[in-house]
Amino acid sequence: MKETCRCLHCQNDLCIHKVPIFSSLSKDDLGKIADLILHREYKKGEFLLREGEKSEAITIINGGSVKAFKYTPDGREQILYVFSEGDFFGETNLLTDRTATFNVEALQSVQACSLSKTEFQNILSHHPDIAIKIISELGERMARLENAMQGMGVRNVDNRVGGILLEFASKYGIQNSQGILVQLPLSREGIANYLGVARETLSRKLGQLENDGVIRSVNNKSILILDTKALQEIAG
Amino acid sequence: MKETCRCLHCQNDLCIHKVPIFSSLSKDDLGKIADLILHREYKKGEFLLREGEKSEAITIINGGSVKAFKYTPDGREQILYVFSEGDFFGETNLLTDRTATFNVEALQSVQACSLSKTEFQNILSHHPDIAIKIISELGERMARLENAMQGMGVRNVDNRVGGILLEFASKYGIQNSQGILVQLPLSREGIANYLGVARETLSRKLGQLENDGVIRSVNNKSILILDTKALQEIAG
DNA sequence: AATGTTCTGTGATTGTAATCAAATGTATCA
DNA sequence: TGATACATTTGATTACAATCACAGAACATT
C-alpha cells in the first residue's frame, strides 16, 4: 500500500498538503493518510459525481478544475460552485446517508484524490480539530453561496456580470502592466449558467463593458480587466 | 447561576432539548449546558444580528421565527433563510473570526437562547460528536441553499412561486379535508424578497393560481393548497 | 367605531432580457 | 491544410416582469 501515493502527481507534492482541512496534522499523520488516498484522473467532460448518487468518498481536487451544478426544471444547468486545486466536495454525504445534491463535471483534465467514507470517519474521530476545520470551510462556502444568492436576487444583470468578473479576478487573476488578466474557468455559456442568464445576454453585456473600456476580451478563455474601479462601481 | 434556566420558557422544556445538535448529550450534560445559556425575548422587527457585526454567540430559536437576509446593492432585502424553533445561527462566526454574513430579524415575538463563543468551543472540545452533528446540519442547510440557488436560476417565475409554496407547505402545512392549509411565515413582500421578484408580480401569480383553482387565499397569513399535484407540475 | 397605517391587489406602461435566427470566429481532427 | 463541429457575437423581435400609480383590505390604536 505504500505505493499508492508514489504516483507522478504526488511524489514530490502530496495532494493532502494542499488541503487546508488537513493542515493541522503532523507529517507522520499526513503520511498515514496519504497511503489511504485513491488517485484518479478525469478527462474534460467526465463526471466525478452525479446528483442523486450516493458518494462514498470525500474528493479533493489536486489539479484542474470542476463545476458543480444542478439541472433546472427547464433543463438548463445552474452552476453552484467552481472547485479548483485544494477544494473538496462530498463531505456532507459522508456523515449522513444523504445522496449527492449536485453534479460535478471536469472542466479540464482533473487530478483528484479521494478518501473513503469509513477512512474519513476514522480520521475524524481521532482528530477533532479536523472537524472544526471542516465546519470552518463549510462556513466559508456557505458565505460564498449566500453571496451568490444575493447576487441572483439582484435584478440588474450588469451588477451580476460585474460581480462575477471581480470574483474570478480575485480567484484566477494575475496583475500585469495593463490590468488584471483573468483566466476564465468557464466558457461564456458556463458563466451565463452560473449567473442564471442567457448566453447571448452575457455576450452583449461583456461587449458593452469592452466598449466602455472597462475590460478587454483577450480570447475566449481570458479577459483583461482594465478598470477595476469602474467594475466595482458596476457590481455595486 | 443555577437560576439561568428557571425562566418561564424553559422551566419544563429546556430549549436545548429542541436542538438536534445537542441530542447526543446525556441529561446531565444537558443540564450543565442549560446553566450556561442566556435567554432573551425579541419583539417583532427587532434585529437579533446585523451583517458585519461580530457575533460572539451561537443563537438557538426557541419560539417564533426569524428571517435571515442580506441587502442587495439596490437596497432590497434578499432573504436567505427563515429560521424557526430548533434552528440555530451564528455557528460559523464562532470558530473563525468572520463577522456575520447576514442580518437576522424577528418576524414575531421570538424566544432565543444563546451560548457564548468560549462556552461553545469548550463544549465542542469535550463532545466531538456535536461537531459532527453541526457538519451534518450545515450540510442540510447548504443543500437547501443550493436548491434555492437553483430556483433563483430558473427564469420562469411560475416555477419559483410553485416551488416556494411547496416548500412552505412541507414546513408549515397542515392537511385538512379541503387540502393543505399553509401558515405563511412571511408577508407577500417577504415571500417576494425570498424569491427575488417584485411584490406585485407575486400577487399576480398567486391570483392566477387561485383562478386556476390550484390554491385559495384564506387570508394574508395563510393559503390553502387545493391541488398539490398541479402545483408540483408547475414547480417542475 | 373611527382614524391612521401598513399591506395587498389591479391596471397601464415601460424596460430589459429571452428567444429566434443567422453570421462570424475558433477549436479539432483527419 | 482543409473540413467539420463547436462557441461566440450580433441583429430583430417578442415576452415577461418591473415599475408607477392608485384603490381597496386588513390591522392596530385611540
Side-chain angles (χ1 to χ4, degrees):
Chain A
M1 284 298 273
K2 267 275 165 189
E3 269 57 52
T4 334
C5 212
R6 295 292 174 274
C7 64
L8 283 167
H9 313 105
C10 298
Q11 211 151 27
N12 301 314
D13 185 16
L14 286 171
C15 53
I16 49 173
H17 278 140
K18 297 182 182 173
V19 183
I21 56 169
F22 291 131
S23 64
S24 62
L25 297 180
S26 70
K27 208 168 179 176
D28 223 47
D29 285 332
L30 275 178
K32 272 185 240 158
I33 292 175
D35 289 348
L36 302 170
I37 281 182
L38 224 100
H39 296 271
R40 212 193 131 179
E41 179 135 3
Y42 295 86
K43 285 196 290 265
K44 176 180 170 176
E46 260 190 286
F47 278 67
L48 285 77
L49 182 63
R50 276 176 201 276
E51 190 175 355
E53 229 173 54
K54 57 177 165 186
S55 79
E56 292 293 322
I58 183 171
T59 303
I60 300 155
I61 305 295
N62 192 30
S65 60
V66 300
K67 63 178 174 183
F69 66 96
K70 289 167 92 79
Y71 289 108
T72 62
D74 47 318
R76 251 190 46 256
E77 291 181 2
Q78 176 60 53
I79 295 179
L80 301 169
Y81 312 98
V82 175
F83 293 135
S84 42
E85 202 177 294
D87 291 325
F88 59 90
F89 62 87
E91 75 293 336
T92 46
N93 317 305
L94 289 182
L95 303 163
T96 63
D97 280 321
R98 206 175 311 115
T99 56
T101 52
F102 45 68
N103 305 279
V104 178
E105 184 186 335
L107 291 168
Q108 311 105 34
S109 284
V110 163
Q111 287 81 48
C113 310
S114 62
L115 194 54
S116 82
K117 187 168 178 159
T118 46
E119 302 289 7
F120 183 70
Q121 283 178 334
N122 193 29
I123 292 167
L124 219 57
S125 65
H126 290 314
H127 299 279
D129 37 341
I130 291 183
I132 297 201
K133 283 260 167 56
I134 288 182
I135 294 177
S136 221
E137 169 63 28
L138 286 182
E140 204 78 53
R141 198 175 296 172
M142 298 232 354
R144 254 194 287 162
L145 247 197
E146 285 160 2
N147 272 326
M149 179 87 178
Q150 174 205 42
M152 300 286 289
V154 176
R155 296 200 255 283
N156 190 336
V157 173
D158 297 272
N159 287 166
R160 288 154 69 177
V161 173
I164 206 166
L165 288 180
L166 290 174
E167 187 189 317
F168 285 152
S170 71
K171 222 171 153 187
Y172 306 105
I174 303 150
Q175 180 78 46
N176 71 16
S177 56
Q178 296 166 76
I180 307 171
L181 184 68
V182 184
Q183 291 285 6
L184 300 174
L186 295 168
S187 68
R188 299 301 147 100
E189 175 143 41
I191 298 174
N193 284 340
Y194 199 11
L195 293 176
V197 301
R199 186 183 76 252
E200 296 97 319
T201 303
L202 177 70
S203 236
R204 281 183 242 273
K205 294 298 179 188
L206 290 178
Q208 196 177 307
L209 286 175
E210 189 156 13
N211 272 345
D212 297 350
V214 179
I215 64 168
R216 149 168 308 176
S217 180
V218 178
N219 62 49
N220 285 348
K221 282 285 159 202
S222 54
I223 62 162
L224 186 67
I225 296 178
L226 300 168
D227 191 344
T228 313
K229 213 156 189 174
L231 207 54
Q232 284 166 339
E233 198 127 313
I234 289 163
Chain B
M1 285 298 272
K2 269 276 168 192
E3 268 60 48
T4 334
C5 210
R6 295 292 174 275
C7 63
L8 283 168
H9 314 103
C10 300
Q11 210 150 28
N12 301 313
D13 186 15
L14 285 173
C15 53
I16 49 173
H17 277 140
K18 297 182 183 173
V19 182
I21 56 170
F22 291 133
S23 64
S24 62
L25 297 179
S26 69
K27 205 165 184 178
D28 223 45
D29 285 332
L30 274 178
K32 274 187 235 155
I33 292 175
D35 288 348
L36 301 169
I37 281 182
L38 223 100
H39 295 271
R40 213 193 128 178
E41 180 135 2
Y42 295 86
K43 285 195 291 262
K44 176 180 172 174
E46 261 190 287
F47 278 66
L48 285 77
L49 182 63
R50 277 176 201 276
E51 190 174 357
E53 231 174 51
K54 59 176 164 185
S55 78
E56 293 293 322
I58 183 170
T59 302
I60 300 153
I61 305 295
N62 192 30
S65 61
V66 301
K67 62 177 173 183
F69 66 96
K70 291 166 91 78
Y71 288 108
T72 62
D74 47 316
R76 253 189 46 256
E77 291 180 3
Q78 177 60 53
I79 295 179
L80 301 169
Y81 311 99
V82 175
F83 292 135
S84 42
E85 201 176 296
D87 290 324
F88 59 92
F89 62 87
E91 76 294 336
T92 48
N93 317 304
L94 289 183
L95 302 163
T96 64
D97 280 322
R98 205 175 312 115
T99 55
T101 53
F102 46 68
N103 306 279
V104 179
E105 184 186 335
L107 291 168
Q108 313 104 33
S109 284
V110 164
Q111 287 83 48
C113 310
S114 63
L115 194 52
S116 83
K117 187 168 176 159
T118 46
E119 302 289 7
F120 183 70
Q121 282 179 335
N122 192 30
I123 292 168
L124 218 56
S125 65
H126 291 315
H127 300 279
D129 38 339
I130 290 183
I132 299 204
K133 283 260 167 58
I134 288 181
I135 293 177
S136 220
E137 170 63 29
L138 286 182
E140 204 79 53
R141 201 176 294 174
M142 296 221 9
R144 252 194 288 163
L145 247 197
E146 286 161 0
N147 271 326
M149 177 88 178
Q150 175 206 42
M152 301 287 288
V154 175
R155 296 200 256 284
N156 191 334
V157 173
D158 298 271
N159 286 168
R160 289 153 70 178
V161 173
I164 207 166
L165 287 180
L166 290 174
E167 188 188 317
F168 286 153
S170 71
K171 221 169 153 189
Y172 307 104
I174 304 151
Q175 178 78 46
N176 70 18
S177 56
Q178 296 166 74
I180 307 171
L181 184 67
V182 184
Q183 291 287 4
L184 300 172
L186 296 167
S187 67
R188 298 302 148 100
E189 175 144 42
I191 297 172
N193 284 339
Y194 199 14
L195 294 175
V197 300
R199 178 180 55 77
E200 295 95 323
T201 303
L202 177 71
S203 238
R204 281 183 243 273
K205 293 299 179 188
L206 289 179
Q208 197 176 308
L209 286 176
E210 190 157 12
N211 273 344
D212 297 349
V214 179
I215 63 167
R216 150 167 307 176
S217 180
V218 179
N219 60 50
N220 285 347
K221 283 282 157 204
S222 54
I223 60 162
L224 186 67
I225 296 177
L226 300 169
D227 190 343
T228 312
K229 212 155 190 175
L231 206 54
Q232 282 165 341
E233 199 127 314
I234 289 164

